[in-house]
Amino acid sequence: MAKTTLKKESVKKINLAQEPVGYVLEGRFKGFVTSEPFKILNEKTGEITEKSLKSIIMEDDKGERFAAIADKGLQSAIQDSMVTEGTWIKAVKLEKASIGRGRTMNQYDLYAEAK
């Protein structure tokens, strides 16, 4: 039997929520994945809701993959800029923006390789 070459496909997890303003997420955009749904309890209302998380999958210049939970700000930056899978991107975390009723959302400057 011929010996095959294996490439590491497991991913390193990055917690963007814990990263400071100015943090740079850079690599080849591989796409988004959505977690299995899970239930959470709203402590104020006692209501149980179902939620799932969306993660961004990227690959560094060595071909190793990493993932981060993609908050709404990052999802919006990528979707609004119409970045396609396979594009090298750099996302820079900015100050949070107010979106009304006391809520905030992370913002990102997004840079992509020129085509």
Side-chain angles (χ1 to χ4, degrees):
M1 177 182 261
K3 186 176 180 180
T4 57
T5 303
L6 300 176
K7 179 182 174 232
K8 179 181 174 239
E9 295 294 346
S10 55
V11 297
K12 174 182 148 189
K13 304 282 186 181
I14 298 170
N15 187 346
L16 284 178
Q18 300 297 319
E19 298 299 340
V21 169
Y23 179 78
V24 175
L25 183 70
E26 184 172 9
R28 189 152 315 277
F29 173 59
K30 303 302 277 185
F32 289 108
V33 294
T34 303
S35 72
E36 290 294 320
F38 58 93
K39 296 181 185 322
I40 58 172
L41 172 67
N42 182 322
E43 306 250 342
K44 292 179 184 174
T45 64
E47 182 179 341
I48 296 176
T49 57
E50 193 169 86
K51 184 177 182 179
S52 57
L53 298 174
K54 191 177 261 193
S55 293
I56 184 172
I57 305 294
M58 296 180 67
E59 195 172 79
D60 66 17
D61 55 356
K62 296 175 194 147
E64 294 196 17
R65 292 184 181 182
F66 56 97
I69 293 175
D71 57 45
K72 293 295 183 188
L74 182 57
Q75 290 176 46
S76 177
I78 289 173
Q79 291 166 346
D80 292 351
S81 64
M82 298 177 63
V83 169
T84 58
E85 289 182 15
T87 303
W88 188 271
I89 64 170
K90 176 178 166 182
V92 180
K93 189 173 180 181
L94 305 173
E95 294 286 338
K96 291 186 178 215
S98 175
I99 58 174
R101 292 189 272 164
R103 298 180 306 155
T104 60
M105 181 172 85
N106 285 327
Q107 293 187 104
Y108 295 84
D109 272 341
L110 191 70
Y111 304 88
E113 67 186 341
K115 296 190 178 195

